């Protein structure tokens, strides 16, 4: 079994409309790419901040300028396709109850929980760059993984997306000097307690950092904590479906992980991981 649960039908650039990308033709391109890569389970998880309803969770200016689409129309559209229905939902501290209401009102197959922001600043978004306000990598990493721990512990999500996204810029931003396991620790504890699945994402290979999310040490700590894994590419284009999956399969194999998560209506099962792509 191979899955790709973290997909976006729309690129992140401005000016991309739902009408153009939420179409049967575009979905067919993703399905064809998945078939080529031997990926049986394909699910879409559009960014929650693309939807008007997300403004009930957070009034960040980035969300205000992006929250245009209707979440229910998206859900209805995805249900007309063979794709599993998911959403990539940011963890917004303090908005847990409103997030739960938004998610429980829809029949998602899975919910991908993300931490992109520390306070009002983003770890991966120019314009809201956390590194412009701080040159202290210890502080940024500490707060990132503490927020990730809260995200896991919230119980709102099925999958923890790109768990060490804070490293996205690689050596082009300051990096802490101490062993990163020190920063991972609170998040791993929360992952163990919550039972949330941890995403292995090949998206990091397309970013300046040039490695999988999460780092090997983080993944090893998850294995030790008994966490299950979900496999995704975070594709924003059809040609990124199953991107570099050979690397992810080898990585899981080296960790001794032989099963990955499969979701339906927010129920999780484990399925044997395919030994290769295609
Ligand atoms: Zn994300
Ligand atoms: Zn994503």
């Amino acid at each position: 079994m191979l899955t790709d649960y973290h997909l976006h039908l729309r690129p992140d650039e401005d000016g991309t409309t739902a009408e153009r990308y939420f179409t049967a033709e575009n979905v067919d391109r993703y399905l064809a790419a998945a078939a080529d890569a031997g990926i049986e389970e394909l699910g879409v998880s559009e960014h929650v901040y693309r939807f008007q309803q997300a403004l009930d969770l957070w009034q960040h200016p980035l969300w205000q300028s992006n929250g245009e689409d209707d979440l229910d129309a998206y859900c209805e559209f995805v249900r007309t396709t063979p794709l599993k229905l998911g959403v990539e939902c940011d963890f917004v501290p303090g908005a847990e109850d409103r997030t739960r209401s938004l998610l429980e009102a829809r029949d998602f197959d899975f919910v991908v929980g993300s931490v992109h922001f520390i306070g009002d600043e983003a770890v991966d978004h120019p314009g809201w760059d956390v590194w412009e306000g701080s040159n202290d990598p210890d502080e940024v990493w500490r707060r990132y993984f503490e927020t990730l721990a809260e995200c896991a512990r919230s119980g709102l999500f099925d999958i923890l997306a790109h768990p060490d996204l804070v490293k996205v810029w690689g050596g082009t931003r300051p990096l802490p000097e101490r062993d990163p396991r020190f920063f991972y620790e609170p998040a791993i504890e929360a992952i163990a307690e919550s039972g949330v699945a941890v995403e292995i994402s090949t998206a990091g290979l397309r970013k300046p950092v040039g490695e999988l999310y999460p780092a090997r040490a983080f993944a090893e700590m998850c294995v030790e904590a008994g966490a299950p894994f979900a496999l995704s590419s975070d594709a924003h284009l059809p040609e990124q479906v199953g991107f570099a999956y050979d690397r992810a399969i080898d990585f899981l194999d080296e960790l001794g992980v032989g099963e990955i998560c499969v979701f339906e209506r927010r129920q999780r099962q484990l399925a044997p991981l395919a030994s290769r792509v295609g």
Side-chain angles (χ1 to χ4, degrees), residues 14 30 50 54 63 75 92 96 149 193 212 215 223-224 248 251:
D14 292 338
Y30 281 74
R50 290 291 202 170
W63 288 34
C75 294
V92 181
E96 288 86 346
E193 279 172 30
L212 294 165
V223 170
E224 215 160 289
F251 183 72

Side-chain angles (χ1 to χ4, degrees), residues 220-240:
E220 284 170 353
M221 290 166 82
C222 290
V223 170
E224 215 160 289
F229 291 93
L231 176 60
S232 295
S233 68
D234 206 347
H236 286 66
L237 296 167
E239 51 268 35
Q240 292 170 345

Side-chain angles (χ1 to χ4, degrees), residues 161-174:
H162 40 61
D164 57 349
L165 181 69
V166 68
K167 73 181 178 186
V168 59
W169 302 112
T172 67
R173 296 288 192 283

Side-chain angles (χ1 to χ4, degrees), residues 12 14 49-50 55 58-68 90 116-117 120-122 124-128:
D12 278 344
D14 292 338
Y49 70 78
R50 290 291 202 170
L55 295 173
W58 203 23
Q59 289 283 336
H60 191 284
L62 182 72
W63 288 34
Q64 286 172 333
S65 61
N66 275 277
E68 289 168 2
D90 291 68
H116 300 108
F117 286 86
D120 283 342
E121 296 170 319
D124 67 335
H125 205 289
W128 297 94

Side-chain angles (χ1 to χ4, degrees), residues 1 9 11 28 42 62 75 134-135 166 171 185 188 193 195 198 202-203 211 222 240 252 259 270 272:
M1 167 68 74
L9 294 175
D28 283 346
L42 207 61
L62 182 72
C75 294
S134 169
N135 289 311
V166 68
E185 196 61 58
I188 304 295
E193 279 172 30
V198 175
T202 57
E211 59 174 59
C222 290
Q240 292 170 345
L252 285 165
E259 291 179 312
L270 288 170

Side-chain angles (χ1 to χ4, degrees), residues 192-216:
E193 279 172 30
S194 64
V196 69
V198 175
E199 181 180 78
I200 301 291
S201 169
T202 57
L205 294 165
R206 305 194 298 267
K207 299 291 161 66
V209 69
E211 59 174 59
L212 294 165
Y213 301 117
R216 182 173 302 265

Side-chain angles (χ1 to χ4, degrees), residues 70-259:
D70 178 51
L71 182 58
D72 295 304
Y74 158 77
C75 294
E76 261 173 57
F77 166 71
V78 175
R79 286 299 181 207
T80 67
T81 75
L83 299 172
K84 288 268 173 79
L85 173 60
V87 66
E88 176 175 11
C89 187
D90 291 68
F91 172 65
V92 181
E96 288 86 346
D97 290 346
R98 300 196 300 281
T99 304
R100 191 177 303 281
S101 302
L102 179 145
L103 296 174
E104 286 183 354
R106 278 110 197 155
D107 65 341
F108 293 114
D109 288 308
F110 60 93
V111 178
V112 179
S114 296
V115 176
H116 300 108
F117 286 86
I118 303 172
D120 283 342
E121 296 170 319
V123 295
D124 67 335
H125 205 289
W128 297 94
D129 191 352
V130 70
W131 297 106
E132 276 175 21
S134 169
N135 289 311
D136 182 358
D138 282 39
E139 176 72 2
V140 171
W141 279 52
R142 182 183 62 74
R143 289 182 64 203
Y144 184 81
F145 288 103
E146 280 175 8
T147 310
L148 188 72
E150 273 185 76
C151 174
R153 231 178 235 119
S154 72
L156 292 167
F157 311 113
D158 303 303
I159 301 171
L160 216 47
H162 40 61
D164 57 349
L165 181 69
V166 68
K167 73 181 178 186
V168 59
W169 302 112
T172 67
R173 296 288 192 283
L175 289 165
E177 272 170 35
R178 68 196 301 173
D179 187 328
R181 280 173 283 207
F182 169 83
F183 301 100
Y184 302 158
E185 196 61 58
I188 304 295
E189 214 171 281
I191 287 166
E193 279 172 30
S194 64
V196 69
V198 175
E199 181 180 78
I200 301 291
S201 169
T202 57
L205 294 165
R206 305 194 298 267
K207 299 291 161 66
V209 69
E211 59 174 59
L212 294 165
Y213 301 117
R216 182 173 302 265
F218 189 102
E220 284 170 353
M221 290 166 82
C222 290
V223 170
E224 215 160 289
F229 291 93
L231 176 60
S232 295
S233 68
D234 206 347
H236 286 66
L237 296 167
E239 51 268 35
Q240 292 170 345
V241 173
F243 171 78
Y245 262 27
D246 46 351
R247 297 274 296 272
I249 293 168
D250 286 349
F251 183 72
L252 285 165
D253 196 44
E254 287 157 20
L255 291 166
V257 176
E259 291 179 312

